[in-house]
Amino acid sequence: MSSVPSGPGPSGARAPAGAGSRRDEPVTVLYSRRVKPGREADFEAWARDIVAAARQFPGHLGASVLDAPGSREYHILFNFADRGSLRAWLDSEERRRLLARVGGLLEADRGLQQLTGLETWFKLPGSNVPTMKPPPRWKMWLVSLVALYPLVLLFQALVVPRMAGLPLPLRALLFPLVLLTLMTFVVMPAVTRLLRRWLGQ
């Protein structure tokens, strides 16, 4: 995970063009904000509006608002299919209009952080820590291996025999398409939720 330092300021920060992630891989950005006392309901309504607006943009993969009961710390995650899609959202007039509404609700703006690649799978469910530190690499490797092996086994046993008549390029495409989709949207969210205590140690 890497903090994103460039841009006009925390609320209006832009994803840097030269960050250490590939432009064609999914990217997640995290905004952390502390809300003024008594303005929690107003901020939650604003958060619903900005999440709904982000859903309308091409490449949007999901968004969520994280908070702890009784806390005024809020964290909003936006997932996009690639850096180009993210930049279109960050530079949009709709986003600028929404950001203009939120300033009066905030006590502090913790800034923007970015996750890419495997780290996106390992954002800890329910975590309200602004740094959102990913687990050690050896834990990510081990959990990925344990989660991926059954999928590969099932794919080889159930799907590969039925693809014998397909052209090689199509067979090669289906393998990562099916496995990466299942890993990203089904398997890894469930596994990280199940192992969140161990991953966070």
Side-chain angles (χ1 to χ4, degrees):
M1 181 181 71
S2 58
S3 294
V4 179
S6 64
S11 292
R14 295 180 180 181
S21 63
R22 296 175 183 172
R23 289 182 175 274
D24 58 350
E25 69 179 357
V27 60
T28 299
V29 289
L30 167 71
Y31 291 89
S32 299
R33 296 177 169 103
R34 183 174 180 84
V35 179
K36 290 179 179 178
R39 304 305 301 272
E40 294 88 350
D42 294 331
F43 181 84
E44 289 168 9
W46 175 87
R48 288 192 294 270
D49 288 344
I50 199 168
V51 165
R55 291 196 183 106
Q56 307 305 313
F57 279 72
H60 178 264
L61 298 179
S64 56
V65 181
L66 307 176
D67 68 301
S71 172
R72 291 185 285 116
E73 296 282 350
Y74 289 83
H75 314 284
I76 306 178
L77 286 161
F78 296 98
N79 300 78
F80 282 86
D82 52 55
R83 293 180 60 76
S85 300
L86 171 64
R87 180 169 292 279
W89 160 244
L90 293 178
D91 292 343
S92 68
E93 181 60 34
E94 178 68 8
R95 179 175 173 273
R96 282 193 288 268
R97 183 183 64 80
L98 286 161
L99 289 178
R101 289 170 40 195
V102 76
L105 306 178
L106 301 181
E107 185 175 278
D109 195 324
R110 309 297 191 190
L112 166 68
Q113 293 179 329
Q114 178 179 333
L115 303 114
T116 56
L118 280 178
E119 291 177 350
T120 304
W121 285 347
F122 286 95
K123 59 180 183 288
L124 303 180
S127 173
N128 64 342
V129 180
T131 56
M132 293 286 284
K133 183 179 178 181
R137 288 186 179 274
W138 71 268
K139 287 188 177 182
M140 290 195 287
W141 171 84
L142 180 59
V143 172
S144 299
L145 178 65
V146 171
L148 186 58
Y149 177 73
L151 292 181
V152 173
L153 187 63
L154 288 172
F155 190 89
Q156 294 286 346
L158 302 178
V159 181
V160 169
R162 293 171 170 78
M163 297 194 309
L166 298 178
L168 178 59
L170 183 55
R171 296 202 306 268
L173 173 64
L174 286 175
F175 188 80
L177 180 63
V178 172
L179 293 185
L180 286 175
T181 300
L182 289 174
M183 285 286 286
T184 300
F185 296 105
V186 180
V187 176
M188 292 310 296
V191 169
T192 54
R193 188 176 299 109
L194 180 65
L195 301 177
R196 63 184 180 275
R197 292 184 181 275
W198 180 71
L199 288 169
Q201 292 176 353

